[in-house]
Amino acid sequence: LATLLPGQLEDSITFSVQVISISKLKHYDYMAVSYAWDFSTPGDVNINMAPQHGSKDLWGRETQSLFIWPHASDAIRHIHRKDTVVTVWINGLCIDVANGDEKLAQSQNYAPIFAHARRVDVWIG
């Protein structure tokens, strides 16, 4: 799950990540977001991962930035709040969508991810 830290709509998006077992998702209050895939070059939009556990991101890269699809960024900007954190599952943040094997493996978990969400939003651009 990704926790979006508070900020203005035009601010750079900053988030932190928790790795949660699928079997434990029902104990978390989060929203799930589905968005229309676009055909832009992946990596068009840069967002910031809040430092935690050293300086590596989920995929072991020495960075605090993550490049995501523009439609994923648009969806995140519209659920982002200026005064409170928002916990969300969105594949653009929660899986490495550039890795075909991981994307395929994680797609098997979509049903329980969406079923246990407090709310599901669909972003069509």
Side-chain angles (χ1 to χ4, degrees):
L1 296 175
T3 300
L4 305 176
L5 303 181
Q8 299 294 329
L9 183 64
E10 64 278 358
D11 290 348
S12 178
I13 297 168
T14 301
F15 68 101
S16 62
V17 175
Q18 290 179 268
V19 178
I20 307 295
S21 164
I22 292 296
S23 65
K24 295 185 179 182
L25 275 178
K26 61 186 169 201
H27 303 294
Y28 288 83
D29 184 21
Y30 68 97
M31 66 183 298
V33 178
S34 180
Y35 59 93
W37 287 85
D38 55 18
F39 296 101
S40 303
T41 304
D44 283 351
V45 180
N46 184 12
I47 63 175
N48 301 309
M49 185 181 297
Q52 63 181 23
H53 308 296
S55 61
K56 293 185 179 183
D57 67 14
L58 284 176
W59 303 281
R61 296 179 297 219
E62 297 283 345
T63 182
Q64 297 303 322
S65 294
L66 178 68
F67 291 93
I68 62 172
W69 295 91
H71 280 183
S73 173
D74 292 345
I76 290 165
R77 287 193 181 283
H78 282 83
I79 60 173
H80 190 221
R81 298 290 172 252
K82 69 178 181 178
D83 55 358
T84 188
V85 299
V86 176
T87 302
V88 63
W89 184 93
I90 182 169
N91 65 359
L93 296 180
C94 296
I95 65 174
D96 183 358
V97 295
N99 179 329
D101 291 337
E102 179 175 347
K103 190 166 63 171
L104 179 62
Q106 292 296 330
S107 69
Q108 306 301 312
N109 296 321
Y110 282 8
I113 288 168
F114 284 92
H116 292 301
R118 166 183 46 85
R119 180 175 124 189
V120 175
D121 282 7
V122 177
W123 180 258
I124 55 174

